[in-house]
Amino acid sequence: MTAEPSGAPELPIALDAVGGDHGAPPNVAGAVQAAKAGVKVLLVGDQVKLHAELGKHPGAGALPLEVVDAPDVIGMDEHASDVRGRREASINVAAKLVKDGKAAALVSMGHSGATMAASLLTLGRLPGIDRPAILTHLPTRSGAVAVLDVGANADVKASYLAQWAQLASIYLRVVEARENPTVGLLSIGEEDHKGNAVTLEAHALLRAQAELNFYGNVEGGDVFKGTTDIVVTDGFTGNIVLKLAEGEARVLFGWVKDALSGGVLAKLGGLLVRDSLRAVAERMDPSTYGASILLGVRGLSYIGHGSADDRAVKNALLRAARAHESRLIERLSEQLKGTPA
């Protein structure tokens, strides 16, 4: 479950409130829910549309919500490179609010490529980081595993994987209070000599980093066993793992639903296990985490599903607020520079 922040952060969270498959409605509804939980939110987008949507939520005027006008939006079918020439696009305005110190983080359920591009171009990279990576959480037998990269970099160098392992380790210590998290390198076998050229080189780099708790290679099945706290891989493979996991979860629950609706006894059994199945569904629902963090940029940036609902938006905003309260970016910078956090 996503823990709610202990109090409102000093700065609001900038939400790309018109991005995503469904536009403003789920973004505004999620922002209202987050605001009720104490998170200040800047709703970035067409102000006429956003004020109209806010009007559908009684009492929203008394909540810590503010609209920031951004007349343009980069659609889901447009190119990520469009961020360069469209300063008034909502994702660019949201990123600039973070850059200028007017927002603690940006959250977008819109065009993921545009969000990555705007974050990198506007915020820049943390010291010693060549490429940022998207970190997501996948459910395991014992809790959740942090997997990165899941889509930012299809082609990688071994040094990127070593950098991402360091970023993820600091992230889990700072935000999730996991001391000395274990790191696994996704490969086709657990033996040290298994893998392609990049994996073999990355293995050596990871093994050489004394500050990392490197477990060694992990296979695909280890991801969901919870063998390690962190799994690092290239963005091409990681994105396939993520979408395979989400797709398989939907298929499995479809099978269960069909099995429990086949007859009187099956329906009775369904009633008996309903609460347990709901708990399982909660753990497997991507909206529980809301969005994935783009680690490696000099600011907090969260990327969610285009199909996200209001619950996912709310949880993404809560997660961003929690990371800000934890001083994640400052502590990442300090530790990457070699100074104590």
Side-chain angles (χ1 to χ4, degrees):
M1 287 291 292
T2 300
E4 296 191 358
S6 57
E10 288 184 16
L11 293 173
I13 309 299
L15 173 65
D16 177 9
V18 290
D21 295 339
H22 308 297
N27 283 302
V28 172
V32 168
Q33 293 169 29
K36 288 179 179 178
V39 177
K40 300 176 184 177
V41 183
L42 297 177
L43 297 162
V44 182
D46 185 294
Q47 60 182 348
V48 175
K49 292 180 180 178
L50 292 179
H51 280 300
E53 197 62 37
L54 278 170
K56 300 176 184 178
H57 298 270
L63 295 172
L65 297 167
E66 182 181 342
V67 172
V68 177
D69 190 36
D72 187 16
V73 60
I74 295 177
M76 301 297 280
D77 58 347
E78 297 186 90
H79 294 290
S81 58
D82 287 352
V83 298
R84 292 182 178 274
R86 295 165 63 177
R87 293 184 179 181
E88 293 187 314
S90 55
I91 188 59
N92 277 331
V93 174
K96 193 171 188 306
L97 287 167
V98 177
K99 174 70 173 179
D100 293 344
K102 296 178 181 178
L106 74 87
V107 172
S108 177
M109 305 296 165
H111 195 305
S112 59
T115 304
M116 287 186 284
S119 299
L120 186 56
L121 291 170
T122 304
L123 303 176
R125 298 187 300 270
L126 286 169
I129 301 301
D130 294 314
R131 297 280 182 87
I134 300 174
L135 180 150
T136 197
H137 294 80
L138 293 177
T140 71
R141 181 183 299 167
S142 56
V145 60
V147 181
L148 72 169
D149 181 21
V150 294
N153 306 272
D155 298 303
V156 305
K157 296 180 181 179
S159 58
Y160 300 170
L161 298 174
Q163 292 168 14
W164 298 340
Q166 188 177 10
L167 284 171
S169 296
I170 299 170
Y171 170 83
L172 289 187
R173 287 198 299 268
V174 170
V175 177
E176 301 189 10
R178 292 201 214 178
E179 291 300 324
N180 202 27
T182 52
V183 177
L185 175 64
L186 190 61
S187 188
I188 58 172
E190 62 182 21
E191 298 86 357
D192 292 359
H193 63 275
K194 291 288 184 70
N196 58 20
V198 172
T199 304
L200 292 173
E201 184 181 352
H203 189 283
L205 292 175
L206 290 164
R207 185 70 72 191
Q209 292 192 47
E211 69 275 16
L212 290 179
N213 186 5
F214 182 50
Y215 172 89
N217 287 351
V218 293
E219 298 179 271
D222 289 305
V223 175
F224 301 103
K225 290 179 184 176
T227 301
T228 58
D229 298 305
I230 299 162
V231 171
V232 291
T233 187
D234 62 88
F236 182 86
T237 305
N239 191 262
I240 292 173
V241 169
L242 172 63
K243 291 178 179 176
L244 177 63
E246 293 175 349
E248 182 67 7
R250 286 191 293 270
V251 170
L252 286 173
F253 268 92
W255 288 345
V256 172
K257 184 178 179 181
D258 291 343
L260 295 177
S261 59
V264 175
L265 290 177
K267 290 177 180 178
L268 178 60
L271 289 173
L272 293 174
V273 300
R274 181 173 56 187
D275 290 342
S276 297
L277 287 176
R278 282 177 178 170
V280 174
E282 169 76 12
R283 290 182 63 186
M284 300 181 73
D285 186 354
S287 66
T288 300
Y289 281 92
S292 302
I293 188 170
L294 182 65
L295 272 182
V297 293
R298 200 184 296 268
L300 293 172
S301 177
Y302 286 80
I303 302 170
H305 281 280
S307 60
D309 58 12
D310 54 344
R311 179 172 179 266
V313 175
K314 171 196 171 184
N315 285 337
L317 292 166
L318 293 175
R319 185 161 291 277
R322 180 183 174 189
H324 172 59
E325 289 177 340
S326 301
R327 295 179 57 250
L328 175 61
I329 297 302
E330 293 85 351
R331 295 174 74 176
L332 280 169
S333 297
E334 290 166 357
Q335 294 199 29
L336 289 170
K337 289 177 182 176
T339 56

